[in-house]
């Protein structure tokens, strides 16, 4: 292989700095206290307890949120059962579809407000919540609205029926989008729902509850109950639930799988990842570098399918590393509401500590760590974009999901070698291939043991595409027609 020459690294002493361009948050409507959304109404929790949701960029409290206990979960499940038996499963499918269309449209109308709330509650840059999370959430409601009265075309020759009450538990990295991924197909197929958002990002799910009220969704069809892990466990273990849809960590996924073993509840699990982004010597290098940066630093690396491992063909390794560092030096870390921000706040102090301890372990194991020299605000939770080189296949930085802006870089010589290395983790959620050769894309993608493979792009999502993992990345698929199947039974 011919070695490419490497120009000296660019110096950024004269780096451009942008004037602040904060999104105005004056018009958003937030209450100081949120109750549980059960049977179409906001009701106080049986425990009388509340927890704070904070803004991770300022560490300031945004609102108090109700903490649901097992009695509240029971109320929510009963409301969902009654709505299923009396209303939702009896309604003509086309009418169900109309509700979903209505929800999608209201979501679009309120997109600006909800994007700001998503960024305040979770720390993600407004550019992402505005351009990706909220539009995609609305797109999922539109997409599944269209299927509601066309199930005989979705599953030709089969008669389908809904399962009943779905218990849905979601994480903090794409709060509203994960809610839409789960609620839209469940309702389209005729099920009712009890959903629990993550403790650190409950606000957009509660705004969605207000949208359900505005859309006149019949009471009990969707119930939103807030709380921590114990609330999630109460949903999993409630005997009135017919199906569990969980997105979150592999560790909690395993606990749920054990709890459900031996019951007749159906379940889907969307869990962690450690995706390989593979760049071959014939790739368009600048595009690949941009895609790799997007793949791992997008949403602070809080992405299950983040391209957190990079495999570079050996003869272009120096060139790619230099270009990567140059590009990373230009990334802006800071105020999530500023439209220039590339990397927002880490979602919680707990997550920040987890990232720090995994990076420390990587250094102790002999990895070489490089970080951007960018400034970070003094208050709030921040982590500079970080690269690791000289890492072994067995090192924790290569094997463990970090869920932060940290990229582990390894080199390879042959296609066979990189396939073997890329497959060598417990996960199998996603991957990326960068090459000029279509044949190489087909060869490598067919051998990677991962559910989603992007070629010459990364982190692209669409409601029509199924998404889900192999191995410890989970079971079942969400999105597309595949995403309807976990919510139906065949007669
Ligand atoms: P997590 O700790 O597993 O939490 C996920 C959800 O489960 C939260 O709502 C959590 O509540 C709840 N929970 C915690 N313990 C529970 C229990 N024993 N029983 C039932 N529910 C319980 O995950 P996370 O840290 O929020 O999210 C990050 C993880 O999600 C990463 O591993 C990421 O890869 C994965 N993820 C996967 C996908 C995918 O599609 N495959 C998509 C996004 C994220 P609290 O938050 O209140 O504790
Ligand atoms: Mg929060």
């Amino acid at each position: 292989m011919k070695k490419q020459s490497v120009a000296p690294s660019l110096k950024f002493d004269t780096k451009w700095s942008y004037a602040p361009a904060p999104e105005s948050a004056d018009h958003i409507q937030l209450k100081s206290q949120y109750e549980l959304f059960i049977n179409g109404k906001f009701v106080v929790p049986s425990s009388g307890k509340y927890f704070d949701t904070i803004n991770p960029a300022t560490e300031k409290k945004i609102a108090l949120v109700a903490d649901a206990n097992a009695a509240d979960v029971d109320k929510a499940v009963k409301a969902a059962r009654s709505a299923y038996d009396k209303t939702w499963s009896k309604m003509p499918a086309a009418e169900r579809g109309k509700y979903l269309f209505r929800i999608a449209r209201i979501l679009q109308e309120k997109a600006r407000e909800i994007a700001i709330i998503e960024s305040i509650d979770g720390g993600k840059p407004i550019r992402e919540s505005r351009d990706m999370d909220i539009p995609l959430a609305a797109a999922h409601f539109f997409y599944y609205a269209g299927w509601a009265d066309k199930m005989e075309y979705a599953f030709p020759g089969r008669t389908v029926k809904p399962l009943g009450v779905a218990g849905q538990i979601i994480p903090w990295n794409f709060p509203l989008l994960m809610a839409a991924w789960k609620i839209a197909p469940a309702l389209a197929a005729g099920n009712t729902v009890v959903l629990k958002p993550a403790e650190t990002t409950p606000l957009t799910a509660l705004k969605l509850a207000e949208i359900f009220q505005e859309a006149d969704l019949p009471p009990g069809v969707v119930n939103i109950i807030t709380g921590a892990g114990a609330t999630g466990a109460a949903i999993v273990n409630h005997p009135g639930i017919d199906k569990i849809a969980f997105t979150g960590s592999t560790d909690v996924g395993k606990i749920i799988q054990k709890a459900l073993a031996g019951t007749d509840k159906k379940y889907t699990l969307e869990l962690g990842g450690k995706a390989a982004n593979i760049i071959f010597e014939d790739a368009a290098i600048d595009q690949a570098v941009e895609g790799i940066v997007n793949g791992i630093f997008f949403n602070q690396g809080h992405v299950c399918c983040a391209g957190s491992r990079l495999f570079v063909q050996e003869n272009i390794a120096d060139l790619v590393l230099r270009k990567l560092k140059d590009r990373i030096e230009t990334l802006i870390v800071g105020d999530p509401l500023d439209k220039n921000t590339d990397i927002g706040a880490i979602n919680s102090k707990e997550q920040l500590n987890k990232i720090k301890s995994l990076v420390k372990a990587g250094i102790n194991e002999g990895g070489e760590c490089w970080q951007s020299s960018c400034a970070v605000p003094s208050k709030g939770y921040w982590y500079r974009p970080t690269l690791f080189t000289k890492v072994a296949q067995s090192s924790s930085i290569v094997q463990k999901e970090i869920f932060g802006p940290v990229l582990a870089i390894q080199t390879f010589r042959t296609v066979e070698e990189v396939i073997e290395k890329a497959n060598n983790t417990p996960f199998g959620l996603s991957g990326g291939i960068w090459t000029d050769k279509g044949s190489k894309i087909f060869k490598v993608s067919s051998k990677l043991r991962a559910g989603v493979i992007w070629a010459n792009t990364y982190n692209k999502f669409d409601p029509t595409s199924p998404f889900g993992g192999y191995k410890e990345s989970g079971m079942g698929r969400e999105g597309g027609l595949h995403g309807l199947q976990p919510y139906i039974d065949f007669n």
Side-chain angles (χ1 to χ4, degrees):
M1 282 182 282
K2 199 167 141 265
K3 194 153 170 95
Q4 297 195 17
S5 65
V6 179
S9 187
L10 294 174
K11 292 276 179 279
F12 281 92
D13 323 335
T14 53
K15 189 162 75 174
W16 286 61
S17 55
Y18 293 86
E23 178 84 25
S24 161
D26 297 351
H27 58 289
I28 64 164
Q29 289 184 9
L30 277 177
K31 298 177 196 157
S32 56
Q33 181 169 315
Y34 280 91
E35 313 296 346
L36 306 171
F37 184 66
I38 298 178
N39 210 22
K41 293 197 186 71
F42 285 95
V43 296
V44 296
S46 319
S47 65
K49 287 189 186 148
Y50 294 81
F51 59 90
D52 292 345
T53 187
I54 65 145
N55 178 342
T58 60
E59 300 175 45
K60 284 196 184 131
K61 176 174 135 185
I62 310 169
L64 275 174
V65 181
D67 190 4
N69 63 16
D72 298 309
V73 170
D74 187 51
K75 266 190 225 160
V77 173
K78 284 187 174 135
R81 174 65 56 194
S82 166
Y84 177 78
D85 288 340
K86 294 187 191 141
T87 323
W88 201 243
S89 64
K90 301 268 180 349
M91 190 183 281
E95 293 302 311
R96 287 203 305 263
K98 284 186 200 167
Y99 281 106
L100 291 174
F101 278 122
R102 202 180 292 166
I103 292 163
R105 281 198 301 269
I106 302 176
L107 204 46
Q108 280 187 325
E109 282 161 20
K110 295 182 186 287
R112 206 178 178 86
E113 181 194 5
I114 293 180
I116 293 168
I117 296 171
E118 198 73 302
S119 284
I120 291 175
D121 202 16
K124 64 172 58 195
I126 187 72
R127 250 182 14 222
E128 275 165 29
S129 42
R130 182 196 63 192
D131 298 346
M132 199 192 132
D133 293 62
I134 314 305
L136 259 180
H140 276 80
F141 278 103
F142 275 120
Y143 174 75
Y144 284 109
W147 277 121
D149 61 347
K150 300 176 194 69
M151 296 298 262
E152 70 264 39
Y153 302 103
F155 304 100
R158 317 283 304 263
T159 313
V160 303
K161 57 175 188 197
L163 298 176
V165 178
Q168 307 182 323
I169 301 163
I170 56 173
W172 42 260
N173 58 342
F174 291 92
L176 186 76
L177 184 57
M178 290 296 112
W181 273 28
K182 297 220 165 358
I183 294 171
L187 296 195
N191 304 273
T192 56
V193 164
V194 176
L195 175 127
K196 187 196 94 67
E199 191 183 358
T200 56
T201 54
L203 294 179
T204 47
L206 293 161
K207 291 301 279 187
L208 188 60
E210 291 174 3
I211 290 176
F212 294 150
Q213 286 183 323
E214 200 175 324
D216 276 332
L217 188 71
V221 171
V222 180
N223 304 273
I224 295 186
I225 51 169
T226 43
T231 312
I235 295 176
V236 169
N237 295 316
H238 195 290
I241 296 267
D242 299 298
K243 184 226 153 57
I244 289 290
F246 172 77
T247 297
S249 60
T250 295
D251 287 349
V252 174
K254 285 180 182 172
I255 295 172
I256 291 177
Q257 200 168 24
K258 274 188 198 142
L260 296 179
T263 73
D264 58 2
K265 288 175 194 161
K266 293 189 187 295
Y267 60 92
T268 40
L269 304 171
E270 299 284 355
L271 310 176
K274 193 74 190 178
N277 226 335
I278 304 170
I279 165 164
F280 289 97
E281 58 178 337
D282 55 25
I285 307 263
D286 288 332
Q287 285 168 34
V289 165
E290 201 55 34
I292 287 153
V293 165
N294 168 47
I296 180 64
F297 301 124
F298 168 65
N299 198 22
Q300 299 71 251
H302 295 338
V303 185
C304 51
C305 49
S308 51
R309 291 180 297 151
L310 172 63
F311 289 97
V312 194
Q313 201 150 19
E314 202 173 84
N315 58 327
I316 55 164
D318 292 347
L319 177 70
V320 168
L321 189 61
R322 196 259 291 158
K323 282 180 180 269
L324 260 179
K325 286 182 176 174
D326 285 351
R327 178 70 180 97
I328 291 167
E329 278 290 348
T330 68
L331 296 177
I332 299 169
V333 180
D335 181 6
L337 285 186
D338 193 311
K339 288 162 222 152
N340 294 322
T341 294
D342 297 299
I343 300 184
I346 300 300
N347 182 265
S348 65
K349 192 170 192 179
E350 192 187 10
Q351 184 59 23
L352 179 60
N353 289 339
K354 185 180 156 197
I355 297 169
K356 283 181 179 166
S357 81
L358 283 164
V359 166
K360 201 167 160 202
I363 294 168
N364 290 342
E365 287 170 18
E368 204 168 286
C369 178
W370 176 92
Q371 289 190 317
S372 159
S373 63
C374 64
V376 296
S378 54
K379 201 104 182 104
Y381 312 133
W382 311 97
Y383 203 79
R384 291 190 176 87
T386 302
L387 301 180
F388 262 92
T389 49
K390 303 206 168 92
V391 286
Q393 185 64 27
S394 58
S395 66
S396 56
I397 217 87
V398 170
Q399 291 292 327
K400 289 194 177 161
E401 186 184 44
I402 299 173
F403 225 55
V406 182
L407 177 65
I409 305 177
Q410 295 171 274
T411 58
F412 69 94
R413 289 185 182 174
T414 66
V415 172
E416 287 66 30
E417 178 193 354
V418 76
I419 290 169
E420 192 167 328
K421 282 181 166 170
N423 283 334
N424 183 5
T425 77
F427 301 107
L429 189 57
S430 57
I433 303 166
W434 299 85
T435 170
D436 191 32
K437 305 278 182 299
S439 55
K440 216 181 267 175
I441 292 172
F442 285 119
K443 175 167 181 177
V444 178
S445 60
S446 65
K447 299 251 166 65
L448 288 182
R449 305 250 313 130
V452 182
I453 310 288
W454 287 285
N456 294 327
T457 187
Y458 207 85
N459 272 342
K460 291 280 177 282
F461 304 93
D462 188 282
T464 63
S465 297
F467 185 94
Y470 284 45
K471 302 191 280 185
E472 293 199 6
S473 289
M475 51 193 301
R477 296 290 177 264
E478 291 188 316
L481 268 181
H482 295 72
L484 280 173
Q485 206 157 336
Y487 289 100
I488 54 155
D489 232 338
F490 296 109
N491 262 335

